[in-house]
């Protein structure tokens, strides 16, 4: 799309670089390193203390959100979007009147950038800002910019200006590889939007895209909306586990970790109870996606969605080969996992020993705790937020020559006073960009941990590089009077994961923002974040920062080893669950009309690809929010984990601080954003062409136990 692909939060984002030594690489001559500010603070200390007050700023000028002057008030979104739309008119005229050449691509990218600067920022604000007025204004801006994007993607004159360039072989041959790929990506966006259709069908394509945007927004809201039940319908002794609203109990999630089987069962059945409006919304969303795909020339939405990905198309290697081979390798392990879960349930609850869908998260946790003694409270004192941030700083410095510094935001620059601003600085290239860390819990804040691109990096016409800006959003507890914020092992791993996305956004110097950072195929965008999980689970890395916040004692090696091994308990069943989700996603986006209801398809797919029984009168698919951002591409988590596993084992397992491997990782994988075919980036890093069997083997081998851990514990 002209407004660059956004992974909605990479989260929800689904919501996503070429190294540039000063004056070299993709930027060409004349680009100077940004100087390092002397006002920056050490990153670890900044996260273990409360933010400094801004009382001295009472009479200073109030900046807008992220330093954007217009956004000091909600009304500023209207001003920002009007400016973007006016600039769009000028750039469209320039694109249509400029002779074909490299400048055509630059104008298209500037057009994309002017729209994305508003749309990306608004995408974040509409879900994260604590003030309703800001959220509503951002929502309207998203709709306005989104509608304009769909119109531009079917603008014939704009299309013809790009077509003239790509139709001239001599001109195409004169383009550098990155410029040529960006031109081809813009052309691809025109094609999948139906530019080749007649006027009536093009208008139909625009209308379908706008309707899909509206349905997606409605579905996402409904996916997180709580359900209520009259109090007397639930046993009184479990009422205290849920929120209360007058005469009703409010169920806002699955309560998967609750120790009481009845609490988990009640939450599952009530939270997943079918909602007629949400069901209709999903059916319309899937149907309209199918209509759009067929209108622009694809047999299914999956075929349209998987163009340009590692998977290429629904036939290879994702389905059936990739998922099928994973299933074959997992079947025995998954069966053993369910038997182990059933054994633990029988031990704790002999009256109801059948394993139900609400059981695996809780009982696998019980098994892990019993077998490995990994109670989170034993680990959290070693994982203060400041220590973990310092650990990331050490890792990035050793691997990539990168340092993180805390910077005091200006008045009005952040949306909540506990948001921290980080400057990302390279030892020779200087300032690379900014990360805003929205890490702490607050009312009405989404529970999902995510990464948002606010502004993409690009080389501007004046030769100055536009620095990337991103937000990382977590849901960590606030510090208490006696201690800093302490993270569980899972929180620490999530922090490393999201910082992997941020580094993907920071560490490149792509000439074009349309392909910056995580603006790349979905099944590649998760690789850098999942790779960071491997670093987070390596004792050599953890030993650099895990210190008891009171005594300074390092976290013992055997505790880290036990923690890592515990994650392999029931991991086959967890992976099988992901296979089920990925399969369901592709069936929903496969041949239409669907042969039966989405709930009937869920039941059949769950029992075939997961193995646990479907629970009558539930509709889990209505809570499957990834259907919006990852439509037909949920398999990306499995594919990305396979790639990350191979990169870890072949490049970093021997030495997680290997600077040469780190530089190669940046050069071959992070540097290009979406500017290079993902499989070529993988081949460049691994220095070989991996097969489907290689991907499957990498995934499944991660499930194997490390017997050295048992030997260590027995010494």
């Amino acid at each position: 799309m002209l407004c660059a692909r956004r992974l909605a939060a990479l989260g929800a984002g689904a919501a996503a670089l070429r190294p540039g030594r000063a004056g070299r690489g993709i930027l060409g001559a004349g680009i100077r390193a940004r100087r390092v500010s002397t006002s920056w603070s050490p990153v670890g200390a900044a996260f273990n203390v409360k933010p400094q007050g801004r009382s001295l700023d009472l009479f200073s000028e109030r900046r807008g959100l992220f330093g954007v002057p217009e956004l000091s008030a909600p009304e500023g979104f209207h001003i920002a979007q009007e400016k973007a739309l006016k600039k769009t008119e000028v750039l469209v005229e320039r694109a249509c009147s400029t002779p074909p050449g490299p400048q055509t691509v630059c104008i298209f990218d500037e057009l994309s950038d002017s729209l994305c600067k508003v749309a990306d920022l608004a995408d974040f604000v509409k879900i994260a800002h604590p003030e309703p007025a800001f959220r509503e204004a951002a929502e309207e801006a998203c709709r306005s910019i989104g509608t304009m994007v769909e119109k531009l993607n079917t603008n014939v004159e704009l299309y013809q200006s790009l077509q003239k360039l790509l139709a001239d072989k001599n001109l195409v041959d004169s383009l550098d590889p990155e410029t040529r790929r960006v031109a081809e990506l813009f052309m691809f966006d025109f094609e999948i939007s139906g530019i080749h259709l007649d006027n009536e069908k093009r208008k139909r394509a625009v209308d379908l895209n706008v309707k899909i945007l509206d349905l997606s927004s409605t579905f996402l809201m409904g996916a997180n909306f709580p359900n209520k039940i009259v109090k007397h319908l639930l046993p009184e002794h479990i009422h205290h586990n849920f929120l209360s609203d007058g005469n009703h109990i409010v169920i806002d999630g699955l309560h998967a970790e609750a120790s009481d089987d009845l609490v988990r069962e009640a939450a599952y059945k009530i939270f997943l109870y079918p909602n007629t409006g949400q069901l209709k919304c999903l059916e319309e969303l899937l149907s309209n996606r199918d209509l759009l795909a067929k209108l622009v020339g694809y047999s299914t939405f999956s075929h349209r969605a998987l163009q340009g990905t590692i998977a290429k198309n629904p036939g290879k290697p994702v389905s059936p080969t990739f998922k099928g081979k994973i299933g074959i390798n997992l079947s025995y392990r998954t069966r053993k996992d369910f038997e182990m879960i059933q054994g633990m349930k029988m031990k704790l609850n002999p009256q109801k020993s059948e394993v139900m869908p609400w059981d695996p998260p809780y009982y696998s946790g019980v098994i892990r705790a019993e077998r490995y003694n990994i109670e989170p409270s034993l680990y959290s004192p070693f994982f203060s937020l400041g220590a973990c941030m310092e650990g990331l700083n050490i890792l990035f410095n050793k691997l990539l020559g990168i340092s993180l510094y805390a910077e005091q935001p200006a008045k009005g620059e952040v949306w909540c006073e506990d948001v921290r601003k980080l400057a990302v600085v390279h030892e020779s290239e200087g300032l690379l960009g900014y990360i805003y860390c929205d890490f702490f819990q607050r009312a009405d804040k989404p529970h999902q941990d995510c990464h948002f691109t606010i502004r993409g990096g690009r080389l501007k016409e004046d030769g100055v590089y536009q620095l990337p800006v991103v937000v990382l959003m977590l849901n960590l507890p606030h510090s208490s009077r006696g201690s800093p914020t302490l993270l569980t092992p899972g929180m620490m791993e999530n922090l490393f994961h999201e910082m992997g996305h941020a580094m993907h956004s920071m560490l490149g110097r792509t000439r074009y923002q349309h392909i910056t950072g995580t603006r790349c195929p979905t099944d590649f965008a998760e690789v850098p974040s999942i790779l960071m999980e491997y670093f987070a689970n390596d004792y050599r890395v953890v030993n650099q920062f895990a210190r008891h916040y009171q005594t300074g004692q390092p976290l013992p090696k055997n505790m880290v080893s036990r923690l890592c091994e515990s994650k392999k308990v029931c991991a086959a069943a967890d992976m099988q669950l992901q296979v089920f989700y990925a399969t369901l996603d592709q069936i929903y986006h496969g041949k239409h009309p669907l042969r039966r209801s989405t709930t009937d398809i869920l039941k059949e797919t769950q029992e075939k690809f997961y193995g646990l029984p479907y629970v009558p009168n539930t509709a889990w698919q209505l809570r499957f929010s990834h259907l919006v951002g990852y439509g037909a591409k949920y398999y990306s988590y499995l594919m990305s984990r396979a790639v990350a596993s191979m990169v870890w084992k072949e490049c970093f397992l021997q030495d997680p601080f290997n600077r040469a491997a780190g530089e190669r990782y940046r050069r071959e994988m992070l540097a290009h954003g979406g500017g290079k075919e993902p499989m070529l980036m993988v081949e460049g890093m691994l220095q070989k062409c991996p097969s489907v069997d290689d991907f499957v083997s990498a995934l499944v081998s991660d499930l194997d136990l490390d017997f050295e851990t048992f030997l260590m514990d027995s010494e």
Side-chain angles (χ1 to χ4, degrees), residues 17 36 70 73 77 131 139 142 255 265 279 435-436 468 477 485 516 527 548 572 574 610 614 649 664:
L17 287 158
V36 176
E70 295 89 350
F77 270 107
E131 297 179 27
E139 176 74 48
C142 282
H255 291 252
E265 179 179 354
L279 192 60
I435 304 170
Y436 289 82
T485 292
T516 188
V527 173
H548 197 286
D574 289 341
Y610 187 38
Y614 165 77
K649 289 166 186 169
R664 187 163 105 238

Side-chain angles (χ1 to χ4, degrees), residues 416-466:
C416 188
E417 68 173 8
D418 58 20
V419 173
R420 313 294 210 277
K421 180 182 180 183
L422 294 183
V424 180
V425 183
H426 189 270
E427 60 191 16
S428 64
E429 298 167 42
L431 180 61
L432 297 181
Y434 289 103
I435 304 170
Y436 289 82
C437 300
D438 186 357
F439 281 176
F440 301 101
Q441 297 169 346
R442 63 173 176 272
D444 298 326
K445 181 179 177 181
H447 293 299
Q448 191 174 4
D449 295 344
C450 9
H451 161 278
F452 293 85
T453 296
I454 302 300
R455 184 178 71 197
R458 73 182 184 103
L459 179 60
K460 297 190 288 187
E461 280 187 292
D462 59 6
V464 174
Y465 198 77
Q466 175 174 289

Side-chain angles (χ1 to χ4, degrees), residues 538-560:
D538 188 282
Y539 177 72
R540 294 163 295 181
V541 176
V542 174
N543 187 49
Q544 297 287 315
F545 68 89
R547 298 287 185 275
H548 197 286
Y549 77 98
Q550 290 174 316
T551 67
Q553 172 193 357
L555 183 64
K557 183 177 181 180
N558 67 337
M559 286 183 67
V560 178

Side-chain angles (χ1 to χ4, degrees), residues 189-201:
D189 289 335
F190 278 122
E191 290 170 351
I192 66 170
S193 297
I195 195 67
H196 54 287
L197 304 174
D198 59 39
N199 287 340
E200 185 178 337
K201 288 182 178 177

Side-chain angles (χ1 to χ4, degrees), residues 6-16 216 220 285 289 301-302 305-306 448-451 497-498 501 518 520-527 529-530 581-582 584-586 588-589 624-638 640:
R6 293 187 296 278
L7 279 181
L10 276 165
S216 296
L220 284 175
L285 175 61
R289 281 177 167 175
F301 186 81
S302 281
L306 297 183
Q448 191 174 4
D449 295 344
C450 9
H451 161 278
H497 177 103
E498 299 303 333
H501 285 309
T518 56
C520 60
T522 310
D523 54 5
F524 183 79
E526 290 292 337
V527 173
S529 53
I530 293 174
Y581 292 162
L584 184 70
D585 173 43
Q586 290 205 324
Y588 282 165
H589 291 99
F624 192 10
S625 59
H626 282 80
L627 286 173
V628 171
Y630 287 75
K633 293 181 285 191
Y634 188 81
Y635 76 89
S636 295
Y637 285 107
L638 289 169
S640 293

Side-chain angles (χ1 to χ4, degrees), residues 39-82:
S39 64
W40 289 332
S41 305
V43 68
F47 280 85
N48 271 357
V49 297
K50 289 186 178 297
Q52 298 175 9
R54 299 195 178 93
S55 56
L56 297 179
D57 292 336
L58 287 175
F59 302 103
S60 64
E61 180 184 358
R62 180 181 176 84
R63 290 194 194 177
L65 292 170
F66 300 101
V68 178
E70 295 89 350
L71 299 184
S72 58
E75 299 75 28
F77 270 107
H78 182 72
I79 298 171
Q81 81 185 38
E82 288 303 307

Side-chain angles (χ1 to χ4, degrees), residues 383 391 395 399 489 492-493 496 530-547 555-565 567 648-649 651-658 706:
F383 292 144
L395 176 63
L399 267 186
M492 183 271 284
E493 187 176 283
F496 271 63
I530 293 174
L531 180 62
M532 284 296 293
E533 296 176 20
Y534 287 89
F535 285 98
N537 286 292
D538 188 282
Y539 177 72
R540 294 163 295 181
V541 176
V542 174
N543 187 49
Q544 297 287 315
F545 68 89
R547 298 287 185 275
L555 183 64
K557 183 177 181 180
N558 67 337
M559 286 183 67
V560 178
S561 299
R562 290 202 306 269
L563 180 64
C564 294
E565 286 304 288
K567 293 176 182 178
W648 170 257
K649 289 166 186 169
C651 304
F652 296 107
L653 180 59
Q654 293 302 314
D655 178 8
F657 303 112
N658 186 316
D706 179 7

Side-chain angles (χ1 to χ4, degrees), residues 243 335 424 556 671:
L243 298 172
R335 190 164 61 253
V424 180

